[in-house]
Amino acid sequence: MSTEDETVDGVFRALADRSRRALLDALFARNGQTLSELCAGRGMTRQAVTKHLGILESANLVASVKRGREKLHYLNPAPIHEIGDRWISKYERTRLDALFDLKKALESDNE
Amino acid sequence: MSTEDETVDGVFRALADRSRRALLDALFARNGQTLSELCAGRGMTRQAVTKHLGILESANLVASVKRGREKLHYLNPAPIHEIGDRWISKYERTRLDALFDLKKALESDNE
DNA sequence: CTTATAGGCAACCAAATGGTTGCATGTCAA
DNA sequence: TTGACATGCAACCATTTGGTTGCCTATAAG
């Protein structure tokens, strides 16, 4: 029955929030930003952003390094690709099959 | 600033739950199952499963057809691939770059 | 030394989420 | 027609979640 990987769940949960995806986008645009930088323009408090970054770090999507009094954040795209490779690609085979099944079901509906 | 697509958000949120991914897996294994069939073995009530399927339908990941007194469910893998193509692949470029940035940051940490 | 800046920690709160129970409805079968 | 089976609908509940405010610590700059 292969219980799903714990890691996968964490990543999906982390990606479920718009603000967190926006943070990843920000790091994608410019890697190594400080907390304050990542807070700029977002309509929420620094503490809220801290929490989001915490969740992203728990999911291993972001790594951070303290330098002096500031904390630099780095994007780790690996888990995203794991999702792509291990999870999404699994559904590749059914691309057309599923639609066919559905159409067939719709037809036999009026028997 | 390109506000993220509304669709993408719905899909990510739908995929954030283990039980819902399990339902997709079930339909992947055998397409066109009834509600009762999809309930079997899952440790929750039929109503809970109904809600999950509702969310999956809202995200367009599942389509359903009523046949007689039963409701058949069909997997729609298209939104999953949209995520893969439009969102995940975006992070493809940074595969190695990001790690490099991080290592560089770690080195310059002890200056 | 003093002060401004960057960030951490914890309590608290409203709303969303995942789940339940109870009951109503529609459809097939005897 | 009378059950039995498959599903729908709604109220309700506990927990999680996304966010806040308030305060405390540490480092850099004057």
Side-chain angles (χ1 to χ4, degrees), chain A residues 13 17 19-20 44-45 47-48 51-52 68-69:
Chain A
R13 303 251 305 248
D17 188 88
S19 312
R20 285 195 288 269
M44 65 181 90
T45 60
Q47 285 83 348
K51 283 194 184 177
H52 282 306
R69 66 175 161 183

Side-chain angles (χ1 to χ4, degrees), chain A residues 27-63:
Chain A
L27 289 180
F28 178 79
R30 188 164 65 81
N31 211 3
Q33 294 189 58
T34 69
L35 175 57
S36 304
E37 285 172 331
L38 286 172
C39 286
R42 244 157 278 283
M44 65 181 90
T45 60
R46 172 177 53 83
Q47 285 83 348
V49 176
T50 301
K51 283 194 184 177
H52 282 306
L53 287 171
I55 292 172
L56 290 172
E57 288 199 55
S58 301
N60 252 301
L61 287 159
V62 163

Side-chain angles (χ1 to χ4, degrees), chain B residues 13 17 19-20 44-45 47-48 51-52 55 68-69:
Chain B
R13 305 252 306 249
D17 188 90
S19 313
R20 285 194 290 269
M44 65 182 91
T45 62
Q47 285 82 349
K51 282 195 185 180
H52 282 307
I55 291 173
R69 66 178 159 180

